[in-house]
Amino acid sequence: MKKIFKFNFFCHYIDPGTGGVVFGSIGPFIAVAAGFLLAFLAIFRQYLKIMLYRIWKFKWLVLILLIVLSIAMYFFLNTTQKKNMHFKKILVVGIDGLDPDICRELLQAGKMPNLQALISNGTFKDLQIINPAQSPVSWSCLACGVNPGKHGIFDFIHRDPKTYLPRLSICSPSSRGSTSLKNDLKAEPFWNYTSKAGIPTTIIRWPVTFPPERITGEMLSGLGVPDVCGMLNSYRFFTTQPEKWPESKSLKRIILSEKSFSGKIPGPKKSFGDNVEIEFTGEISPENSSVSFQIQNTNLIVKQGEFSPFINLNYKVGLLKKIKAICTIYVSKIPNNPDEPLELYFSSPEIDPRDPALKITEPPEFSKKLSKEIGTFHTLGIAEDINAAKVGHLPLNAFFEQCRTVDGERMKMLEYELSKFSSGVLAVVFDTSDRWQHIGWRGSALTPGKENQGPIVNEYYELYADKIFGKIREAIDSDTALIVFSDHGFTSFERAFNMNNWLVENGYMTIKGDLSEKDSALFKKVDWSRTKAYCLGFCDVYLNIKGREKNGIIDEKNAAALKNEISNRLKQFIDQDTKIAPVHEVYDANQIYFGEYQKDGPDLVVGFKPGYRMGWQTAIGGLADKICETEESEWKGDHLVDASFVSGTFLVNFPVISKQPRTVDIAPTILGLLGLNIPADMDGVSLWEKESFGAQ
């Protein structure tokens, strides 16, 4: 036991987060040294016996000397690395969907003073992004400095060519039937390189980081974190009048018996069997405009038009196993007479950061530590319930209130991390900005003179985005390099383009039965023996290639000609309702992606004009009523258009080289500022202008 304690004591000074990295990097040298040592011992073992006997008398002194030498070596290596660092601190802030044109508009009107102050001492530019303009794709490029062909993320939705079935790229089972989860990111993000160099690194809410990985610091996973049901969203909308709403998995009937009602909250799977649910009961009080709830050991009253605080949930999933979760309730309507409905929104049962059922941070205890510092917080990858708001299950005023709450939690995280940020890299991502614009957008790209995004979107930029910039202003000093960016900009979503319908009508896809028949998702009606191409995801067209797809019919030698034919015909298509050609450009994936994983991606990538986007049914391998339809939901803003129309935002406080910054340049820039070697396989370059910095 004493020997084990001593070894752990020694390793503590290397740092538990970097011990594996340090030993991994010097492992070969240790092996060679061990070989020489063994040979030496074999030759001089007699002399060594006498020597060791004498040393044993002073064993405690020798032990202390070894510890001191170990500490000295650690600090020597750490100091050597710091000498190569051009800045003591690198502060990286990502604001999802922050549009540079909207920023310029509001800057000109004097509505973003903190951003203006940062620009006056730095550089503000558009950030060129890679097609498609999707968050998982862009954030992976930003993190890894490589194109999708090297990092493996091509869309929110990927497909299995052996089954034609969709799979989420940001979070999916590691194998069929498995309960363990993974994402599809294949490349190394910049925090792996900083960790190998022993540089303190903290990553907060960066997308496509679930499950979290061990680094020399702390990580809180972002986009991709599921709820305890293993889903990205499991909210429920309870009403006494479900017949007034479109059919939905989230829609549930409750029966009001005088003033009382009951229902069930969804939950995770049991160790053996079905999913476990938690029953709740409630009673309405119309005279007080409130509803009382009893959920396990929690009794609470929620006013109409208000959210409840976090509610603790305990799911019994096994004989001795429980899973803890949290949720909130919003009371939309309380009936005053039998003709009026009761309407209740229950948020997804999220992983409780105080006692997480799945690991969402690294080290695992970081979520508990963070909860103690800032309070219980939302953990879901997309905590702002855009799906419920889109269909009206969560009223718009409630959705924006939810957004403010989540954004406030992110601000607390930033403030807490800044309070202890003394060296290394701190990267914090705000993503409420994206959800806010999806629902709050009021401009029309298809109507000349009405392109402006409207006051709801402006509110976020003026009150919340600029508040982030204000906090950044307070935090940075001469030792801090600042990098702020967004993964894309924004435009309107007014017309849905249903690609699979277009493929059917143009003879590239054949279906069984009639187009008017429902239940077409997941390619249920497709005749693969006569289908040349299909669409799955928000921007992707795949050819039905022999030997690659399960029922492929297209020879590889004919693929190029078929891609060219489909591309030309798509660009010529006119939406008869608007007289506009929806497709701006169609890209051959072989021309825009390169790398080991390019083969896993689509064959064609579609870039739409502003105002258009791929339809919801198409994304999951379905068919709609016609090729182009008006988007009727509350989802009014989007970025799933050609990347040239929705550039990201780029802001730094150091000199940059005179070139158009790109998403793939961010990771190498971070490494360059730290004095680290930029890996040869990175597609980007460091944007930092060293010579100008030296002159200053």
Side-chain angles (χ1 to χ4, degrees):
M1 286 297 293
K2 289 183 179 179
K3 290 182 180 179
I4 294 173
F5 173 77
K6 290 172 186 174
F7 177 74
N8 287 340
F9 181 77
F10 166 76
C11 284
H12 176 77
Y13 287 90
I14 294 177
D15 174 3
T18 60
V21 172
V22 172
F23 283 119
S25 62
I26 64 174
F29 299 101
I30 293 175
V32 172
F36 279 111
L37 180 60
L38 288 172
F40 178 83
L41 290 173
I43 296 169
F44 299 100
R45 62 181 181 273
Q46 192 62 38
Y47 299 102
L48 286 171
K49 283 183 181 179
I50 299 170
M51 189 184 301
L52 288 172
Y53 176 77
R54 292 175 179 175
I55 291 174
W56 186 252
K57 294 179 179 179
F58 307 98
K59 57 182 180 293
W60 293 111
L61 178 59
V62 172
L63 178 61
I64 292 170
L65 285 171
L66 285 172
I67 292 172
V68 170
L69 284 170
S70 300
I71 295 171
M73 181 60 73
Y74 168 73
F75 281 107
F76 170 76
L77 293 172
N78 204 35
T79 304
T80 301
Q81 176 58 52
K82 287 181 177 179
K83 284 181 179 179
N84 293 328
M85 292 173 63
H86 303 290
F87 290 89
K88 186 179 180 182
K89 295 178 287 185
I90 312 295
L91 176 59
V92 180
V93 179
I95 306 178
D96 200 308
L98 192 76
D99 189 280
D101 290 333
I102 297 177
C103 287
R104 291 188 184 96
E105 174 191 323
L106 297 176
L107 284 166
Q108 190 173 0
K111 298 294 182 65
M112 299 185 75
N114 290 311
L115 175 57
Q116 184 63 65
L118 290 171
I119 292 174
S120 64
N121 292 304
T123 300
F124 181 81
K125 291 184 176 183
D126 284 14
L127 183 67
Q128 182 180 324
I129 64 176
I130 289 176
N131 273 300
Q134 296 189 29
S135 291
V137 180
S138 286
W139 285 105
S140 299
C141 293
L142 289 159
C144 303
V146 298
N147 79 93
K150 290 183 179 178
H151 65 57
I153 303 288
F154 300 94
D155 197 293
F156 272 101
I157 299 173
H158 289 171
R159 67 58 168 112
D160 181 348
K162 300 304 179 185
T163 63
Y164 299 100
L165 294 178
R167 184 187 76 252
L168 284 170
S169 64
I170 57 176
C171 178
S172 62
S174 55
S175 61
R176 179 172 290 188
S178 173
T179 56
S180 61
L181 300 170
K182 68 175 183 64
N183 63 57
D184 286 346
L185 187 65
K186 306 292 196 308
E188 285 203 67
F190 69 82
W191 49 82
N192 281 5
Y193 296 105
T194 58
S195 293
K196 289 175 184 176
I199 296 172
T201 304
T202 299
I203 308 295
I204 302 295
R205 293 286 304 182
W206 196 288
V208 200
T209 52
F210 178 82
E213 55 189 323
R214 191 174 187 184
I215 59 175
T216 60
E218 297 165 327
M219 174 181 285
L220 170 64
S221 295
L223 177 66
V225 174
D227 58 25
V228 297
C229 303
M231 306 293 289
L232 296 185
N233 193 311
S234 300
Y235 84 88
R236 291 292 183 265
F237 177 64
F238 296 96
T239 175
T240 52
Q241 298 179 4
E243 63 277 2
K244 293 185 177 181
W245 295 86
E247 187 178 343
S248 164
K249 181 181 177 181
S250 301
L251 180 66
K252 299 295 178 183
R253 178 187 293 275
I254 50 173
I255 298 172
L256 200 58
S257 178
E258 294 186 355
K259 292 185 177 183
S260 300
F261 60 89
S262 63
K264 294 180 180 180
I265 304 171
K269 278 188 176 294
K270 297 178 182 178
S271 300
F272 299 97
D274 299 328
N275 288 47
V276 62
E277 297 177 315
I278 290 177
E279 295 187 7
F280 66 87
T281 58
E283 185 173 313
I284 63 171
S285 177
E287 62 276 12
N288 296 318
S289 298
S290 66
V291 179
S292 60
F293 295 90
Q294 182 173 7
I295 305 171
Q296 292 183 324
N297 296 324
T298 300
N299 294 287
L300 74 160
I301 296 174
V302 183
K303 287 278 191 181
Q304 182 174 343
E306 293 183 3
F307 275 99
S308 73
F310 280 121
I311 300 166
N312 298 322
L313 305 174
N314 284 282
Y315 294 93
K316 188 175 181 180
V317 295
L319 185 62
L320 298 173
K321 186 178 180 182
K322 290 185 178 180
I323 287 178
K324 293 186 177 181
I326 53 174
C327 78
T328 59
I329 299 172
Y330 184 83
V331 177
S332 297
K333 291 182 180 179
I334 300 174
N336 288 298
N337 59 65
D339 295 327
E340 294 179 346
L342 172 64
E343 294 180 356
L344 309 169
Y345 161 84
F346 279 63
S347 69
S348 288
E350 299 183 50
I351 296 168
D352 188 342
R354 299 164 298 181
D355 190 4
L358 292 173
K359 188 169 70 170
I360 58 172
T361 61
E362 190 59 62
E365 61 271 14
F366 177 50
S367 64
K368 301 175 186 178
K369 176 183 174 183
L370 195 56
S371 297
K372 287 181 181 179
E373 295 292 340
I374 71 167
T376 306
F377 56 86
H378 289 277
T379 58
L380 198 63
I382 303 179
E384 309 90 336
D385 206 335
I386 195 167
N387 288 330
K390 169 190 163 189
V391 297
H393 290 171
L394 184 63
L396 293 189
N397 63 316
F399 169 75
F400 290 116
E401 181 184 343
Q402 190 182 57
C403 284
R404 293 183 188 98
T405 298
V406 175
D407 203 64
E409 292 170 0
R410 304 286 187 272
M411 181 60 77
K412 289 179 182 178
M413 292 176 187
L414 176 63
E415 291 171 343
Y416 169 66
E417 294 299 338
L418 286 172
S419 70
K420 59 191 184 75
F421 184 38
S422 58
S423 66
V425 180
L426 170 60
V428 180
V429 173
F430 289 79
D431 45 19
T432 298
S433 41
D434 174 83
R435 328 311 182 220
W436 187 291
Q437 292 180 94
H438 276 303
I439 300 298
W441 197 273
R442 293 296 177 265
S444 170
L446 303 180
T447 308
K450 294 188 178 181
E451 297 88 353
N452 187 276
Q453 63 281 352
I456 300 175
V457 169
N458 289 351
E459 178 188 342
Y460 184 85
Y461 281 72
E462 295 172 21
L463 299 184
Y464 303 103
D466 203 54
K467 185 179 179 182
I468 298 169
F469 291 124
K471 182 55 60 177
I472 291 170
R473 282 183 65 194
E474 295 173 7
I476 60 174
D477 53 29
S478 58
D479 290 329
T480 307
L482 171 67
I483 307 177
V484 180
F485 51 77
S486 64
D487 56 330
H488 54 70
F490 253 87
T491 186
S492 64
F493 174 28
E494 301 166 70
R495 300 280 288 172
F497 184 90
N498 298 303
M499 181 65 74
N500 285 322
N501 286 66
W502 184 89
L503 291 171
V504 169
E505 293 192 20
N506 285 273
Y508 297 109
M509 175 183 282
T510 301
I511 62 168
K512 305 167 186 174
D514 192 271
L515 262 177
S516 61
E517 296 176 14
K518 300 301 180 184
D519 195 29
S520 67
L522 304 178
F523 302 117
K524 290 179 182 177
K525 298 169 65 175
V526 174
D527 181 352
W528 293 109
S529 67
R530 295 190 292 161
T531 291
K532 298 177 182 178
Y534 61 100
C535 181
L536 188 72
F538 291 101
C539 301
D540 310 326
V541 175
Y542 298 89
L543 302 188
N544 196 21
I545 301 287
K546 282 183 181 179
R548 187 184 70 178
E549 268 72 13
K550 179 182 179 181
N551 300 302
I553 64 170
I554 302 299
D555 287 324
E556 189 69 46
K557 64 181 180 181
N558 299 325
L562 181 57
K563 286 193 285 186
N564 190 54
E565 180 184 318
I566 293 174
S567 298
N568 290 333
R569 294 183 69 178
L570 274 171
K571 288 186 283 186
Q572 293 168 7
F573 174 80
I574 302 296
D575 179 355
Q576 293 303 313
D577 291 340
T578 63
K579 308 305 178 186
I580 294 173
V583 178
H584 172 72
E585 188 57 82
V586 181
Y587 301 91
D588 185 334
N590 289 333
Q591 303 300 316
I592 61 173
Y593 305 146
F594 53 95
E596 181 182 356
Y597 305 104
Q598 188 273 331
K599 58 181 173 52
D600 300 328
D603 295 298
L604 295 171
V605 180
V606 182
F608 291 100
K609 290 178 181 175
Y612 285 85
R613 204 206 76 173
M614 200 74 83
W616 297 106
Q617 282 296 102
T618 293
I620 57 172
L623 295 160
D625 292 332
K626 55 184 181 178
I627 295 174
C628 289
E629 299 176 306
T630 298
E631 176 61 22
E632 302 289 355
S633 77
E634 295 295 341
W635 193 295
K636 305 295 186 185
D638 219 301
H639 44 85
L640 299 181
V641 297
D642 193 273
S644 61
F645 297 114
V646 283
S647 296
T649 297
F650 175 77
L651 169 68
V652 295
N653 69 340
F654 50 82
V656 294
I657 58 177
S658 56
K659 74 178 290 291
Q660 174 69 44
R662 306 167 298 168
T663 50
V664 293
D665 296 327
I666 299 302
T669 299
I670 293 170
L671 300 183
L673 290 166
L674 292 166
L676 298 177
N677 292 328
I678 297 170
D681 65 342
M682 278 193 175
D683 301 328
V685 299
S686 174
L687 298 170
W688 179 41
E689 180 59 78
K690 295 182 183 180
E691 288 74 14
S692 298
F693 176 78
Q696 289 177 9

